[in-house]
Amino acid sequence: MESDSIVIIPTYNEKENIEKIIRAVFALEKAFHILVIDDGSPDGTGNIVQRLMDNEFAGRLFIIRRKGKLGLGTAYITGFKWALQHSYDYIFEMDADFSHDPHDLPRLYAACHDEGYDVAVGSRYVSGVNVVNWPIGRVLMSYFASRYVRFVTGFKVHDTTAGFVCYRRRVLQTIPLDKIRFKGYAFQIEMKFTAYKIGFRIKEVPVVFVNRREGTSKMSGGIFSEAFFGVIRLRIDGWLRKYPKLPTA
């Protein structure tokens, strides 16, 4: 089944969720392909994907198996390059654990395909705080992290750390992916900020974020500290760095 869109899902020990999320995406009326980037999950996540790819979803489901935990940012960069090589026009980031609702994928797609935006962000904070089952401390940390980014950088997106995103092809062709420096939480901020500095149009699409029911969170204090100090570096970059020009077509 042909598709102009691919959903990149990074995984590490997601055996409880991966088959369910793949089937949920493929059950949508709009056809999406899926690329799983598995960082050597010892629980067999990659083997589950391989079985589904071989037996049911050939030509729609793909996997890149890496040898260890190399970071969220590098997983997405690997996926972006693969998607560009395979000529997809709309390239998505999504988590494996159902914190992002697959039913929102067509809404992000419509923002780019129908409304002409270059980046669509599944935003937890553009219409209040739409988070379910998170501890209040985590909610406050995430919310104020995004407020902090807006304050330091002047960047107007409400949910800068969101990991549920659709990029049009030309955005990822223009951003120098090998120069994206952050690997953790700050990767999401850096990608959006770079797109904004180049001049791409960004739309926030309100979504409800639901904390994972199965599996183990990969969040750590180091990820947050990278984001905290990384934002200051991004602000300095915004003054000093020469960004690519917005493509005319």
Side-chain angles (χ1 to χ4, degrees):
M1 184 183 295
E2 293 296 317
S3 177
D4 61 354
S5 304
I6 191 155
V7 181
I8 300 171
I9 304 178
T11 55
Y12 183 78
N13 286 351
E14 290 289 355
K15 68 178 182 180
E16 297 92 348
N17 295 303
I18 191 61
E19 181 168 351
K20 296 174 189 173
I21 198 78
I22 288 169
R23 292 190 182 280
V25 172
F26 287 155
L28 297 170
E29 184 176 346
K30 154 83 179 141
F32 293 91
H33 288 180
I34 296 174
L35 172 64
V36 174
I37 313 288
D38 185 66
D39 272 5
S41 297
D43 72 347
T45 297
N47 295 334
I48 295 170
V49 177
Q50 191 71 49
R51 171 177 56 80
L52 293 171
M53 192 170 78
D54 293 341
N55 296 334
E56 290 186 62
F57 301 122
R60 301 176 66 190
L61 175 63
F62 309 93
I63 185 170
I64 295 175
R65 303 178 81 152
R66 307 200 298 176
K67 295 195 184 219
K69 291 184 76 172
L70 302 174
L72 180 73
T74 66
Y76 275 127
I77 295 296
T78 298
F80 292 160
K81 291 179 177 179
W82 188 96
L84 292 174
Q85 289 169 359
H86 290 80
S87 303
Y88 290 95
D89 293 322
Y90 301 92
I91 299 155
F92 294 76
E93 300 178 2
M94 192 173 78
D95 290 347
D97 60 7
F98 284 93
S99 54
H100 305 141
D101 186 345
H103 290 94
D104 288 323
L105 285 169
R107 299 174 60 227
L108 298 182
Y109 176 79
C112 291
H113 179 270
D114 301 338
E115 299 177 45
Y117 286 91
D118 299 299
V119 182
V121 178
S123 177
R124 297 162 290 186
Y125 307 129
V126 71
S127 59
V129 179
N130 294 315
V131 177
V132 177
N133 292 339
W134 251 9
I136 187 62
R138 181 89 175 269
V139 174
L140 291 172
M141 187 180 296
S142 174
Y143 177 75
F144 283 108
S146 283
R147 292 288 299 269
Y148 165 73
V149 174
R150 294 177 71 199
F151 174 75
V152 172
T153 65
F155 184 29
K156 301 305 181 189
V157 168
H158 291 80
D159 195 353
T160 52
T161 59
F164 196 18
V165 185
C166 173
Y167 293 99
R168 286 181 65 192
R169 176 182 182 82
R170 71 183 197 135
V171 178
L172 300 181
Q173 286 177 318
T174 306
I175 290 175
L177 296 175
D178 289 331
K179 293 185 179 179
I180 297 294
R181 63 167 70 96
F182 297 119
K183 293 184 177 180
Y185 221 42
F187 166 81
Q188 301 292 3
I189 304 169
E190 185 176 6
M191 284 294 297
K192 296 178 189 70
F193 183 73
T194 304
Y196 157 75
K197 290 297 289 185
I198 291 170
F200 287 115
R201 296 177 66 224
I202 302 173
K203 178 173 183 177
E204 289 188 87
V205 176
V207 300
V208 175
F209 180 95
V210 180
N211 194 29
R212 67 163 60 238
R213 299 186 195 92
E214 299 183 84
T216 306
S217 173
K218 315 303 187 295
M219 194 60 62
S220 70
I223 290 173
F224 273 104
S225 66
E226 180 197 56
F228 183 86
F229 294 108
V231 168
I232 297 171
R233 291 181 66 181
L234 287 179
R235 171 72 276 188
I236 295 169
D237 280 352
W239 289 326
L240 304 178
R241 182 176 168 187
K242 187 173 182 180
Y243 290 89
K245 291 184 178 179
L246 186 69
T248 54

